[in-house]
Amino acid sequence: MSTGTIKKVAGPLVIAEGMRDANMFDVVRVSEQHLIGEIIEMHGDLASIQVYEETSGLGPGEPVESTGSPMSVELGPGLIGSIFDGIQRPLDDIMKATGNNLQRGVSIPSLKRADRWTFVPSAKIGDRVIPGDIIGTVQETPVVLHKIMVPQGVSGTLAKIEGGEYTIEEAVAIVALDEGGERELTLMQKWPVRVGRPYREKLSPDVPLVTGQRVIDTLFPIAKGGVAAVPGPFGSGKTVVQHQLAKWSEADIVVYIGCGERGNEMTDVLNEFPELKDPKTGYSLMERTVLIANTSDMPVAAREASIYTGITIAEYFRDMGYSVALMADSTSRWAEALREMSGRLEEMPGEEGYPAYLGSRLAQFYERAGRVVSLGQDGREGALSVIGAVSPPGGDISEPVSQATLRIVKVFWSLDSNLAYSRHFPAINWLTSYSLYADTIGRWFSANVEEDWTDLRNRLMRLLQEEAELDEIVKLVGMDALSAPDRLKLEAARSIREDFLHQDAFHEVDTYTPPQKQGAMMRLVLAYFDEATKALNQGASVESLVKLPVREQIGRFKYTPDEEMEREYNNVLHQLQSEVADLLNRKEEE
Amino acid sequence: MPKEYRTIQEVAGPLMLVRGVENVTYNELGEIELQNGETRRCKVLEIDGGNALVQLFENSAGINLDSSKVRFLGRTMELGVSEDMLSRVFDGLGRPMDGGPDILPEKRLDVNGLPMNPAARNYPQEFIQTGISAIDGLNTLVRGQKLPIFSASGLPHAELAAQIARQAKVRGTDESFAVVFAAMGITFEEANFFIESFKETGAIDRTVLFVNLANDPAVERIATPRMALTAAEYLAFDKGMHVLVILTDITNYADALREISAARKEVPGRRGYPGYMYTDLASLYERAGRQKGKNGSITMIPILTMPEDDKTHPIPDLTGYITEGQIILSRELYRKNVTPPIDVLPSLSRLKDKGIGEGKTRADHANTMNQLFSAYARGKEAKELMVVLGEAALTDIDKLYAKFADEFEREYVSQGYHADRSIEETLDIGWKLLRILPRSELKRIKDEYLDEYYSAD
């Protein structure tokens, strides 16, 4: 422990003297108000501290006290369903303590100390345990079985373990350590946020994280353990995409980080998630969600910490063997916080004022994602998928944050303001987006959902590609210059866009489409194209094919509830065939 | 009596360095006393040992390094608030300028406010009827929202903002409301236009004005919106009023911010604006909203002029990332004499979905809104094509879309600054326009609504 005094205050940066004994990245308490800060630079006796709270009213001479330990989060039962600020303080408890506005220097433990949890042991006395081994479980919410793991640096033999009701600080087991001595294990452990939690082995991702969003699952899928970026100008629906993924992706745990974004968006999540039912479990989505909120009016330094807080919590659940999805909205605000601190530290700036280490910091963050074999003797697998939103100024992704992100991520969902203006949502541009998992995951879909998934997908992509080329021609010489088959292609592509890709997040059925239905929908829009092409070759006119009444039914198929899907699918297909047949018959009669 | 210092070392632009100070804290308010007894205000930007870097809120003319005195007041900048502020006019630093008496404050509040706990926010979802179709029908405003107007030089944003202030109401309620108006660096004429318009409707009795005009010191503008928002927070969350805050013009505010940043020789971000401009603007905009357990609300309409009509300029860009949508005015529509010239396609209200529908507006609202948007977008595309290739190149259906787009601008958007349409009128006009298109084109509308409204006359 070391105590010093403030020398300089400039915004969130405080420089303290007399700090020679402190360690880099130690958490410090600043001034009489005990504001929380972190040491980010040492120069001899002087420590530069980024303070996670508003520094108004601080002045030279006030005390600074190091706690001697790095910034850590508390991991244990009570995480799920909570909303924390950037340094894991519980915002609901803070509200009870200090009212609707955030006061400074509030000290409330992250996890509730008084709550009692029922611990069910799964190991027994005499078992040998190593770090990562599961010794028992707590049913934290109806859907989350919280597994209690042996923390780092503890291996030995269980000397005592007993089920029952415990708070997170009481000992549930005692380990006789290999090196001698004993260690009590509690339901809670701590972990420093800037260090990735260890695992035994990393695997390559090959199973899709099904999201129920058609343009994502079909065209640009993300794997469990994969990383994706969603860049887009404002108003292009980044946040809606993030919310949709948080709601519907097939993950056991969702960690949602609102990093420098609007307060009302977090409120929206807080209001809406408890109401929404997880299609898999039937329980509310809040029962699997952890929220981290550093809204844009909250202190900027804590924004820098918020994504580390979030990903450490996500890693903890990954270590239990769960599939975890983490959404960070938006990493640009995190980068700006980094830039602000860098500016105050008077570092030599890189591009656009961002520090030169921006790229490596981003890479370190995203690299904490992945599918892993956890520590412990049972070799369980967990996955952590990370989806980061990027808010490029002016929507121009040539800026440093977007570029540094693109170098790392495997999936890129490019949001397009023109699509958003015509209210095509999700406004993911099918020409500029990509997914490097498309092949491996296409194989999974082919094996598990639809035999010819990859073929269907490729046909969709090809039609969309051709549409873009044909559009160029139409712009130059007009629709009349196109041949009939080309006009049909344009119509088919329009149907892909409007009937398949366009998805209404606010429609009760359309908001989530299971993979089977996605397959059926792909078949339907392509069936129209195939039947129409055939009819065209037999002499039907394009105009009549474009006007087929069945197209309206194809367009409405997405609103068909899942249980009626199969019947309706056959219905529409039958209708299509009979209408085309009618058309040809009439043609012959003429 | 606080200690006085005669140790001003430097004055450069809006910044001043004072040496040898004691017990001075970050963000503390200071006072400079000139030889003639006049006092000016300043605040501490950085304190390093005994050196305090302060930012002036007023101009630096007349400051003398040897004889001017500086006092630090031991508090941050505050505003004394009371309900008597209604119907009064203050300068950019919160001092009465209408010749009336000083306010007897009920309490004094830090103008920087405190961030709102996101867990304590109430989600805005009460529909505000502005009587303007392009807003009510397509970019619906709700109580507690921050919805900026993106304008450009020479466009009638003031008329639109005044119309909103005049007509805005939550239907079926009779709750007390107030308007807080902050002028930052606008001309006397523009400020006067607002004042006259408030007088016309009698709203002036429920209005608090903070006025920093174009010829007032630029740095004062940094404080003006904070003064206004502090007054608004008091009226909304202490007194339970529904407050509409109009901030104009944010562009001038951002320029003042840039001036200070440049004087401090900070590493500039895009176009010379400081890297922390996002955070700074957010500390204003995020003060709008609703709170749990409180009756009142703050709805905010910041107005900004986009330099060179460029939406990607840092000021509109960063604003758009913080606010809950934007209303964009278009020069092209203005030239076509569409009043108000709202370009609905890039305009957006992010909070509309919770504010519309059955029980709030009408059940068919969401569907028709989406259909109008996509039909207008397609109509505009068709019209572009028509310009290049002539009308003959369009398919029959595209011709209908082009016609739709024209009618839409004329009937739906262009309603004039004095028409106050109810939401039902707005929706019915929408249906009338949609009937230009065949029913099979209206894919975004549920059958039941088509049955009910499409064929009806």
Side-chain angles (χ1 to χ4, degrees), chain A residues 7-12 54-60 62 83 90-96 98-104 232-239 259-272 293-300 303 333 336 339-340 343-344 346-347 349 352-353 390-395 417 420-425 473-480 487 491 494-495 498-499 502 504 506-508 547 551-552 555-556 559, chain B residues 23-28 45-50 76 110 112 114-125 138-139 144-146 150 233 264 266-270 274-276 278-279 282-283 286-294 311-312 316-326 328 344-354 367 369-370 373-374 377-378 381 385 388-389 392-393 395-396 398 401 439-447 450:
Chain A
K7 178 173 178 291
K8 174 179 171 177
V9 186
E54 172 60 47
T55 51
S56 280
L58 298 194
E62 291 192 69
I83 176 165
L91 285 168
D92 47 349
D93 288 346
I94 290 183
M95 181 174 106
K96 279 176 211 139
T98 65
N100 287 354
N101 293 93
L102 294 168
Q103 311 283 347
R104 296 189 291 168
F234 65 82
S236 58
K238 256 189 317 296
T239 301
C259 177
E261 291 291 304
R262 306 173 182 89
N264 279 329
E265 279 169 7
M266 294 317 294
T267 315
D268 189 24
V269 173
L270 277 178
N271 287 346
E272 201 174 338
N294 176 282
T295 58
S296 56
D297 54 341
M298 283 157 77
V300 67
R303 197 162 302 156
R333 305 300 162 224
E336 282 166 11
R339 172 169 70 181
E340 187 168 342
R344 306 247 185 212
E346 295 170 8
E347 292 173 339
E352 290 192 20
V390 186
S391 318
S417 49
Y421 294 164
S422 55
R423 297 318 189 247
H424 176 99
F425 287 117
I473 300 175
V474 171
K475 274 193 192 120
L476 286 176
V477 291
M479 190 68 100
D480 292 345
R487 284 193 57 189
E491 280 301 319
R494 190 154 80 88
S495 161
E498 291 180 2
D499 305 335
H502 176 269
D504 185 351
F506 299 98
H507 187 281
E508 60 275 17
K547 283 187 192 140
R551 298 192 63 199
E552 202 184 322
R556 290 184 188 285
Y559 303 120
Chain B
N23 294 327
V24 170
T25 64
Y26 173 69
N27 238 351
E28 188 173 337
L45 277 187
E46 200 177 294
I47 171 82
D48 187 358
T76 54
D110 182 346
N112 292 306
L114 283 169
M116 222 188 275
N117 187 334
R121 278 182 189 269
N122 242 340
Y123 198 74
Q125 45 195 349
L138 301 176
N139 298 295
Q145 186 172 13
K146 39 194 180 293
F150 285 12
E233 276 172 354
R264 291 185 72 182
E266 291 172 333
V267 178
R270 285 173 73 217
Y276 50 80
Y278 177 85
T279 313
S283 71
E286 279 290 327
R287 290 170 82 169
R290 309 209 56 175
Q291 290 187 358
K292 285 191 177 136
K294 300 281 172 77
K311 194 167 66 107
T312 66
D317 191 54
L318 295 180
T319 298
Y321 275 121
I322 307 164
T323 54
E324 283 136 350
Q326 66 277 340
I328 296 190
V344 297
L345 293 183
S347 296
L348 169 73
S349 162
R350 291 167 188 272
L351 303 183
K352 60 179 186 296
D353 298 296
K354 301 269 161 64
N367 279 205
M369 173 179 78
N370 287 328
F373 269 125
S374 73
R378 188 156 168 205
E381 264 171 43
L385 211 58
V388 182
L389 299 164
T395 59
D396 289 345
D398 275 342
Y401 272 108
R439 179 170 168 152
S440 60
E441 286 294 311
L442 307 182
K443 286 185 187 172
R444 302 202 173 173
I445 304 182
K446 282 188 191 165
D447 274 330
L450 285 171

Side-chain angles (χ1 to χ4, degrees), chain B residues 42-58:
Chain B
C42 61
K43 76 164 185 184
V44 178
L45 277 187
E46 200 177 294
I47 171 82
D48 187 358
N51 297 342
L53 180 70
V54 299
Q55 173 207 319
L56 302 171
F57 281 112
E58 290 157 90

Side-chain angles (χ1 to χ4, degrees), chain A residues 530-542:
Chain A
D530 292 339
E531 291 291 328
T533 312
K534 247 189 279 167
L536 196 68
N537 292 336
Q538 292 173 32
S541 74
V542 183

Side-chain angles (χ1 to χ4, degrees), chain B residues 159-171:
Chain B
E159 279 84 348
L160 179 62
Q163 186 178 15
I164 296 174
R166 211 164 48 226
Q167 300 181 159
K169 55 183 159 294
V170 172
R171 298 207 302 176

